[in-house]
Amino acid sequence: MICDDEYYMAIALREAEKAAEDGEVPTGCVIVDSQERILARAHNRTEGLNDATAHAEMLALSAAFAAKGNWRLTGCRLYVTKEPCPMCAGAIVLSRVDRVVWGVGDDKRGGGSVFGIFNHHGINHHPETLGGVLEEPCRSVLQEFFRRRRAEHV
């Protein structure tokens, strides 16, 4: 099956919408193996779990490790609606994901664009990266969430 970035990003976007419904920052993630099987899907749960590390990517990585029976996710692609933070980018590198695709970039805390983790010379694995897939819908779900949040606190 041919890789369809928009197809998998749309699934990640549905996860982000679930996060928003739960009052979480709307970020969703999907991990797909080389056979086009979805190994994991997750959304942010930091508030619900009272866990600062419960980002969509971290939860999806853990689920993918269990599904694959291996911590090495060689041959896998990770789709996430917002560019991974430094913590998630580090975990992605350590897990040997081949390709990371995100919707909207994060020009303040982006693990790739700001901190350069995916391409850092001192790291032994450098996944392929692609940003901007379904960027507008990914941006929209974030903007709407924070618009509602600000209105609630007025």
Side-chain angles (χ1 to χ4, degrees), residues 75-152:
C76 294
R77 300 183 312 274
L78 182 146
Y79 295 87
V80 63
T81 56
K82 187 176 75 59
E83 180 181 359
C85 73
M87 172 186 67
C88 294
I92 290 165
V93 167
L94 292 173
S95 67
R96 311 295 195 269
V97 168
D98 284 359
R99 188 162 186 259
V100 182
V101 180
W102 62 80
V104 64
D106 186 342
D107 61 359
K108 293 181 182 176
R109 293 171 293 281
S113 62
V114 176
F115 294 95
I117 292 170
F118 296 125
N119 297 314
H120 192 277
H121 69 277
I123 293 177
N124 65 345
H125 176 74
H126 300 99
E128 176 187 343
T129 60
L130 175 66
V133 174
L134 296 184
E135 183 172 7
E136 287 312 310
C138 292
R139 181 184 320 281
S140 179
V141 72
L142 282 163
Q143 288 175 333
E144 180 57 31
F145 174 81
F146 286 110
R147 198 175 291 122
R148 280 194 318 265
R149 175 75 52 93
R150 284 189 296 274
E152 292 169 1

Side-chain angles (χ1 to χ4, degrees), residues 22-44:
D22 293 343
E24 302 276 358
V25 173
T27 302
C29 183
V30 174
I31 299 177
V32 181
D33 71 10
S34 60
Q35 308 300 298
E36 303 300 317
R37 292 179 299 222
I38 294 176
L39 295 178
R41 58 181 87 202
H43 55 274
N44 276 0

